[in-house]
Amino acid sequence: MSFNRPTRRSFLALAPGAALAAGLGEARAEPALGDDGLYHEPWFLQSFLDLREDLESTAASGKRLAIMWELRGCPYCRETHLVNFADADIAKYIRENFEVLQLNLIGSRKMTDLDRQELSEKDLAQKYGIRFTPTFQFFPPSSAGIEAKEPMAREVARAPGYLKPPHFLAMFRFVRERAYERGSFRDFLAANG
């Protein structure tokens, strides 16, 4: 075997690395299954679990805040990570326009709600009437006056349950474009395919 002459086999072995180095492929971090039984995206919001602070810092960066409620063993939560977030276009749109905070429906981490009430993730889920996973809550672009509203009136949109990738992306577009001010998500889907 000659080490001076390239072979088809050596070319094929090196081709993926060369394509990646040339920028033809895109390296993508995969979600990791955590000790809590939830998949975690490397780009999810790292938070001190103060929702008012998260909303204000997200707004200051020109993005919107979304909460993803999950539960260990939830097959549709897994599907959201392994199908929806795995779609490069969907992940790119969300990362450019949103900060996503992941919470556990039955979690015990201490949170500070928008009205400064301190409670566990589980109690926060009950306060907001979250009953299904995955559920996405979307909040307004500003925290002004939000603490005076009833909990469920603080969000501008909600996606309870799994959405197939096209509708999933449409929900994020619905919020980003503030289409909730003009009509329902169903109207948005009808008008935008």
Side-chain angles (χ1 to χ4, degrees), residues 71-101:
L71 186 61
R72 176 185 208 121
C74 164
Y76 289 112
C77 299
R78 181 180 183 275
E79 189 88 354
T80 300
H81 287 278
L82 301 182
V83 175
N84 297 18
F85 288 142
D87 182 304
D89 292 332
I90 291 174
K92 181 176 189 263
Y93 183 85
I94 294 171
R95 288 174 39 204
E96 288 176 354
N97 295 289
F98 289 85
E99 290 289 356
V100 179
L101 175 61

mmCIF file of all heavy atoms in Angstrom, residues 71-101:
data_model
loop_
_atom_site.group_PDB
_atom_site.id
_atom_site.type_symbol
_atom_site.label_atom_id
_atom_site.label_comp_id
_atom_site.label_asym_id
_atom_site.label_seq_id
_atom_site.Cartn_x
_atom_site.Cartn_y
_atom_site.Cartn_z
ATOM 1 N N LEU A 71 -42.250 17.533 30.321
ATOM 2 C CA LEU A 71 -42.409 16.523 31.354
ATOM 3 C C LEU A 71 -41.581 15.307 30.973
ATOM 4 O O LEU A 71 -41.570 14.913 29.796
ATOM 5 C CB LEU A 71 -43.893 16.142 31.471
ATOM 6 C CG LEU A 71 -44.319 15.213 32.582
ATOM 7 C CD1 LEU A 71 -44.012 15.811 33.955
ATOM 8 C CD2 LEU A 71 -45.818 14.941 32.471
ATOM 9 N N ARG A 72 -40.900 14.736 31.922
ATOM 10 C CA ARG A 72 -40.091 13.536 31.687
ATOM 11 C C ARG A 72 -40.959 12.446 31.046
ATOM 12 O O ARG A 72 -42.068 12.202 31.477
ATOM 13 C CB ARG A 72 -39.544 13.037 33.016
ATOM 14 C CG ARG A 72 -38.773 11.759 32.909
ATOM 15 C CD ARG A 72 -38.357 11.248 34.284
ATOM 16 N NE ARG A 72 -37.145 10.492 34.123
ATOM 17 C CZ ARG A 72 -35.992 10.763 34.714
ATOM 18 N NH1 ARG A 72 -35.894 11.766 35.544
ATOM 19 N NH2 ARG A 72 -34.939 10.035 34.475
ATOM 20 N N GLY A 73 -40.447 11.832 29.991
ATOM 21 C CA GLY A 73 -41.150 10.746 29.325
ATOM 22 C C GLY A 73 -42.206 11.185 28.327
ATOM 23 O O GLY A 73 -42.862 10.350 27.716
ATOM 24 N N CYS A 74 -42.379 12.475 28.130
ATOM 25 C CA CYS A 74 -43.387 12.992 27.201
ATOM 26 C C CYS A 74 -42.925 12.725 25.764
ATOM 27 O O CYS A 74 -41.913 13.282 25.324
ATOM 28 C CB CYS A 74 -43.577 14.486 27.437
ATOM 29 S SG CYS A 74 -44.425 15.374 26.123
ATOM 30 N N PRO A 75 -43.657 11.876 25.020
ATOM 31 C CA PRO A 75 -43.215 11.552 23.661
ATOM 32 C C PRO A 75 -43.279 12.752 22.711
ATOM 33 O O PRO A 75 -42.462 12.864 21.800
ATOM 34 C CB PRO A 75 -44.164 10.445 23.226
ATOM 35 C CG PRO A 75 -45.365 10.586 24.094
ATOM 36 C CD PRO A 75 -44.883 11.161 25.387
ATOM 37 N N TYR A 76 -44.222 13.648 22.929
ATOM 38 C CA TYR A 76 -44.330 14.804 22.038
ATOM 39 C C TYR A 76 -43.298 15.880 22.364
ATOM 40 O O TYR A 76 -42.929 16.669 21.497
ATOM 41 C CB TYR A 76 -45.751 15.355 22.025
ATOM 42 C CG TYR A 76 -46.690 14.408 21.313
ATOM 43 C CD1 TYR A 76 -47.679 13.731 21.995
ATOM 44 C CD2 TYR A 76 -46.542 14.167 19.947
ATOM 45 C CE1 TYR A 76 -48.521 12.847 21.340
ATOM 46 C CE2 TYR A 76 -47.369 13.291 19.287
ATOM 47 C CZ TYR A 76 -48.363 12.632 19.983
ATOM 48 O OH TYR A 76 -49.185 11.758 19.329
ATOM 49 N N CYS A 77 -42.825 15.907 23.594
ATOM 50 C CA CYS A 77 -41.708 16.797 23.929
ATOM 51 C C CYS A 77 -40.464 16.313 23.180
ATOM 52 O O CYS A 77 -39.737 17.108 22.568
ATOM 53 C CB CYS A 77 -41.442 16.797 25.428
ATOM 54 S SG CYS A 77 -42.828 17.387 26.424
ATOM 55 N N ARG A 78 -40.258 15.003 23.225
ATOM 56 C CA ARG A 78 -39.131 14.397 22.509
ATOM 57 C C ARG A 78 -39.229 14.706 21.015
ATOM 58 O O ARG A 78 -38.249 15.089 20.386
ATOM 59 C CB ARG A 78 -39.133 12.887 22.754
ATOM 60 C CG ARG A 78 -38.022 12.137 22.089
ATOM 61 C CD ARG A 78 -38.129 10.632 22.408
ATOM 62 N NE ARG A 78 -37.036 9.896 21.852
ATOM 63 C CZ ARG A 78 -37.000 9.438 20.600
ATOM 64 N NH1 ARG A 78 -38.014 9.627 19.791
ATOM 65 N NH2 ARG A 78 -35.941 8.787 20.167
ATOM 66 N N GLU A 79 -40.425 14.569 20.462
ATOM 67 C CA GLU A 79 -40.657 14.850 19.046
ATOM 68 C C GLU A 79 -40.340 16.315 18.716
ATOM 69 O O GLU A 79 -39.757 16.621 17.681
ATOM 70 C CB GLU A 79 -42.122 14.527 18.704
ATOM 71 C CG GLU A 79 -42.433 14.572 17.249
ATOM 72 C CD GLU A 79 -42.191 13.250 16.546
ATOM 73 O OE1 GLU A 79 -41.677 12.308 17.155
ATOM 74 O OE2 GLU A 79 -42.515 13.179 15.356
ATOM 75 N N THR A 80 -40.720 17.209 19.611
ATOM 76 C CA THR A 80 -40.429 18.628 19.403
ATOM 77 C C THR A 80 -38.927 18.850 19.265
ATOM 78 O O THR A 80 -38.482 19.583 18.389
ATOM 79 C CB THR A 80 -41.009 19.479 20.549
ATOM 80 O OG1 THR A 80 -42.430 19.292 20.589
ATOM 81 C CG2 THR A 80 -40.696 20.955 20.364
ATOM 82 N N HIS A 81 -38.157 18.193 20.120
ATOM 83 C CA HIS A 81 -36.700 18.345 20.066
ATOM 84 C C HIS A 81 -36.094 17.653 18.852
ATOM 85 O O HIS A 81 -35.267 18.234 18.155
ATOM 86 C CB HIS A 81 -36.053 17.808 21.340
ATOM 87 C CG HIS A 81 -36.260 18.679 22.524
ATOM 88 N ND1 HIS A 81 -35.489 19.787 22.779
ATOM 89 C CD2 HIS A 81 -37.173 18.617 23.519
ATOM 90 C CE1 HIS A 81 -35.900 20.365 23.895
ATOM 91 N NE2 HIS A 81 -36.930 19.670 24.364
ATOM 92 N N LEU A 82 -36.485 16.401 18.623
ATOM 93 C CA LEU A 82 -35.819 15.592 17.612
ATOM 94 C C LEU A 82 -36.331 15.810 16.197
ATOM 95 O O LEU A 82 -35.674 15.417 15.234
ATOM 96 C CB LEU A 82 -35.910 14.106 17.978
ATOM 97 C CG LEU A 82 -35.287 13.734 19.330
ATOM 98 C CD1 LEU A 82 -35.389 12.245 19.578
ATOM 99 C CD2 LEU A 82 -33.842 14.204 19.427
ATOM 100 N N VAL A 83 -37.479 16.463 16.054
ATOM 101 C CA VAL A 83 -38.020 16.752 14.724
ATOM 102 C C VAL A 83 -38.084 18.268 14.487
ATOM 103 O O VAL A 83 -37.425 18.793 13.603
ATOM 104 C CB VAL A 83 -39.416 16.107 14.523
ATOM 105 C CG1 VAL A 83 -40.027 16.514 13.190
ATOM 106 C CG2 VAL A 83 -39.315 14.594 14.626
ATOM 107 N N ASN A 84 -38.852 18.970 15.302
ATOM 108 C CA ASN A 84 -39.057 20.402 15.057
ATOM 109 C C ASN A 84 -37.782 21.221 15.231
ATOM 110 O O ASN A 84 -37.392 21.975 14.342
ATOM 111 C CB ASN A 84 -40.150 20.942 15.976
ATOM 112 C CG ASN A 84 -41.502 20.315 15.720
ATOM 113 O OD1 ASN A 84 -41.614 19.262 15.100
ATOM 114 N ND2 ASN A 84 -42.549 20.929 16.210
ATOM 115 N N PHE A 85 -37.136 21.092 16.384
ATOM 116 C CA PHE A 85 -35.915 21.853 16.621
ATOM 117 C C PHE A 85 -34.759 21.348 15.764
ATOM 118 O O PHE A 85 -33.780 22.060 15.560
ATOM 119 C CB PHE A 85 -35.514 21.826 18.092
ATOM 120 C CG PHE A 85 -36.403 22.638 18.996
ATOM 121 C CD1 PHE A 85 -36.724 22.180 20.262
ATOM 122 C CD2 PHE A 85 -36.917 23.859 18.603
ATOM 123 C CE1 PHE A 85 -37.529 22.918 21.117
ATOM 124 C CE2 PHE A 85 -37.726 24.605 19.443
ATOM 125 C CZ PHE A 85 -38.032 24.137 20.709
ATOM 126 N N ALA A 86 -34.856 20.117 15.269
ATOM 127 C CA ALA A 86 -33.800 19.575 14.409
ATOM 128 C C ALA A 86 -33.853 20.170 13.007
ATOM 129 O O ALA A 86 -32.882 20.074 12.260
ATOM 130 C CB ALA A 86 -33.912 18.057 14.332
ATOM 131 N N ASP A 87 -34.967 20.782 12.648
ATOM 132 C CA ASP A 87 -35.093 21.455 11.353
ATOM 133 C C ASP A 87 -34.283 22.747 11.421
ATOM 134 O O ASP A 87 -34.584 23.643 12.216
ATOM 135 C CB ASP A 87 -36.564 21.740 11.065
ATOM 136 C CG ASP A 87 -36.795 22.393 9.716
ATOM 137 O OD1 ASP A 87 -36.189 23.459 9.454
ATOM 138 O OD2 ASP A 87 -37.602 21.856 8.940
ATOM 139 N N ALA A 88 -33.267 22.850 10.613
ATOM 140 C CA ALA A 88 -32.337 23.990 10.672
ATOM 141 C C ALA A 88 -33.044 25.324 10.474
ATOM 142 O O ALA A 88 -32.708 26.309 11.143
ATOM 143 C CB ALA A 88 -31.229 23.817 9.641
ATOM 144 N N ASP A 89 -34.014 25.398 9.576
ATOM 145 C CA ASP A 89 -34.723 26.658 9.339
ATOM 146 C C ASP A 89 -35.560 27.069 10.545
ATOM 147 O O ASP A 89 -35.602 28.241 10.915
ATOM 148 C CB ASP A 89 -35.609 26.554 8.095
ATOM 149 C CG ASP A 89 -34.799 26.424 6.813
ATOM 150 O OD1 ASP A 89 -33.648 26.921 6.771
ATOM 151 O OD2 ASP A 89 -35.312 25.829 5.846
ATOM 152 N N ILE A 90 -36.226 26.098 11.161
ATOM 153 C CA ILE A 90 -37.033 26.391 12.350
ATOM 154 C C ILE A 90 -36.134 26.843 13.489
ATOM 155 O O ILE A 90 -36.386 27.876 14.122
ATOM 156 C CB ILE A 90 -37.871 25.165 12.758
ATOM 157 C CG1 ILE A 90 -38.970 24.898 11.719
ATOM 158 C CG2 ILE A 90 -38.485 25.357 14.147
ATOM 159 C CD1 ILE A 90 -39.753 23.618 11.948
ATOM 160 N N ALA A 91 -35.088 26.086 13.759
ATOM 161 C CA ALA A 91 -34.180 26.431 14.857
ATOM 162 C C ALA A 91 -33.551 27.804 14.638
ATOM 163 O O ALA A 91 -33.445 28.603 15.569
ATOM 164 C CB ALA A 91 -33.104 25.366 15.012
ATOM 165 N N LYS A 92 -33.164 28.096 13.415
ATOM 166 C CA LYS A 92 -32.548 29.396 13.112
ATOM 167 C C LYS A 92 -33.533 30.538 13.369
ATOM 168 O O LYS A 92 -33.190 31.541 13.996
ATOM 169 C CB LYS A 92 -32.079 29.426 11.658
ATOM 170 C CG LYS A 92 -31.411 30.717 11.238
ATOM 171 C CD LYS A 92 -30.898 30.617 9.797
ATOM 172 C CE LYS A 92 -30.051 31.805 9.435
ATOM 173 N NZ LYS A 92 -30.739 32.830 8.731
ATOM 174 N N TYR A 93 -34.774 30.383 12.900
ATOM 175 C CA TYR A 93 -35.780 31.434 13.100
ATOM 176 C C TYR A 93 -36.019 31.666 14.598
ATOM 177 O O TYR A 93 -36.046 32.810 15.057
ATOM 178 C CB TYR A 93 -37.097 31.064 12.403
ATOM 179 C CG TYR A 93 -38.121 32.164 12.522
ATOM 180 C CD1 TYR A 93 -38.121 33.223 11.617
ATOM 181 C CD2 TYR A 93 -39.048 32.172 13.551
ATOM 182 C CE1 TYR A 93 -39.034 34.258 11.737
ATOM 183 C CE2 TYR A 93 -39.966 33.199 13.675
ATOM 184 C CZ TYR A 93 -39.961 34.239 12.767
ATOM 185 O OH TYR A 93 -40.870 35.272 12.903
ATOM 186 N N ILE A 94 -36.174 30.590 15.343
ATOM 187 C CA ILE A 94 -36.444 30.728 16.775
ATOM 188 C C ILE A 94 -35.247 31.352 17.484
ATOM 189 O O ILE A 94 -35.412 32.286 18.277
ATOM 190 C CB ILE A 94 -36.821 29.366 17.389
ATOM 191 C CG1 ILE A 94 -38.162 28.890 16.805
ATOM 192 C CG2 ILE A 94 -36.911 29.466 18.910
ATOM 193 C CD1 ILE A 94 -38.525 27.459 17.170
ATOM 194 N N ARG A 95 -34.053 30.880 17.207
ATOM 195 C CA ARG A 95 -32.866 31.421 17.874
ATOM 196 C C ARG A 95 -32.650 32.896 17.562
ATOM 197 O O ARG A 95 -32.177 33.646 18.412
ATOM 198 C CB ARG A 95 -31.632 30.607 17.492
ATOM 199 C CG ARG A 95 -31.659 29.236 18.150
ATOM 200 C CD ARG A 95 -30.574 28.306 17.724
ATOM 201 N NE ARG A 95 -29.292 28.926 17.532
ATOM 202 C CZ ARG A 95 -28.353 28.438 16.748
ATOM 203 N NH1 ARG A 95 -28.561 27.336 16.067
ATOM 204 N NH2 ARG A 95 -27.202 29.039 16.633
ATOM 205 N N GLU A 96 -32.983 33.324 16.351
ATOM 206 C CA GLU A 96 -32.797 34.727 15.973
ATOM 207 C C GLU A 96 -33.856 35.644 16.576
ATOM 208 O O GLU A 96 -33.614 36.842 16.730
ATOM 209 C CB GLU A 96 -32.819 34.868 14.453
ATOM 210 C CG GLU A 96 -31.576 34.321 13.790
ATOM 211 C CD GLU A 96 -31.638 34.370 12.271
ATOM 212 O OE1 GLU A 96 -32.696 34.724 11.695
ATOM 213 O OE2 GLU A 96 -30.614 34.028 11.639
ATOM 214 N N ASN A 97 -35.033 35.102 16.912
ATOM 215 C CA ASN A 97 -36.155 35.946 17.307
ATOM 216 C C ASN A 97 -36.708 35.706 18.710
ATOM 217 O O ASN A 97 -37.537 36.485 19.179
ATOM 218 C CB ASN A 97 -37.299 35.770 16.303
ATOM 219 C CG ASN A 97 -36.917 36.276 14.937
ATOM 220 O OD1 ASN A 97 -36.792 37.459 14.719
ATOM 221 N ND2 ASN A 97 -36.689 35.354 14.004
ATOM 222 N N PHE A 98 -36.274 34.643 19.368
ATOM 223 C CA PHE A 98 -36.833 34.270 20.666
ATOM 224 C C PHE A 98 -35.756 33.802 21.623
ATOM 225 O O PHE A 98 -34.707 33.323 21.207
ATOM 226 C CB PHE A 98 -37.837 33.108 20.508
ATOM 227 C CG PHE A 98 -39.111 33.504 19.835
ATOM 228 C CD1 PHE A 98 -39.197 33.518 18.452
ATOM 229 C CD2 PHE A 98 -40.222 33.870 20.569
ATOM 230 C CE1 PHE A 98 -40.360 33.899 17.817
ATOM 231 C CE2 PHE A 98 -41.403 34.237 19.943
ATOM 232 C CZ PHE A 98 -41.474 34.252 18.567
ATOM 233 N N GLU A 99 -36.074 33.918 22.901
ATOM 234 C CA GLU A 99 -35.351 33.212 23.948
ATOM 235 C C GLU A 99 -36.354 32.213 24.493
ATOM 236 O O GLU A 99 -37.484 32.579 24.822
ATOM 237 C CB GLU A 99 -34.889 34.152 25.062
ATOM 238 C CG GLU A 99 -33.791 35.104 24.660
ATOM 239 C CD GLU A 99 -32.432 34.442 24.450
ATOM 240 O OE1 GLU A 99 -32.296 33.218 24.690
ATOM 241 O OE2 GLU A 99 -31.503 35.149 24.047
ATOM 242 N N VAL A 100 -35.963 30.946 24.552
ATOM 243 C CA VAL A 100 -36.851 29.891 25.021
ATOM 244 C C VAL A 100 -36.367 29.410 26.385
ATOM 245 O O VAL A 100 -35.234 28.956 26.528
ATOM 246 C CB VAL A 100 -36.904 28.709 24.027
ATOM 247 C CG1 VAL A 100 -37.821 27.606 24.553
ATOM 248 C CG2 VAL A 100 -37.374 29.187 22.656
ATOM 249 N N LEU A 101 -37.252 29.541 27.367
ATOM 250 C CA LEU A 101 -36.977 29.073 28.721
ATOM 251 C C LEU A 101 -37.682 27.737 28.904
ATOM 252 O O LEU A 101 -38.891 27.644 28.713
ATOM 253 C CB LEU A 101 -37.489 30.087 29.749
ATOM 254 C CG LEU A 101 -37.383 29.681 31.216
ATOM 255 C CD1 LEU A 101 -35.931 29.452 31.624
ATOM 256 C CD2 LEU A 101 -38.036 30.739 32.101
#
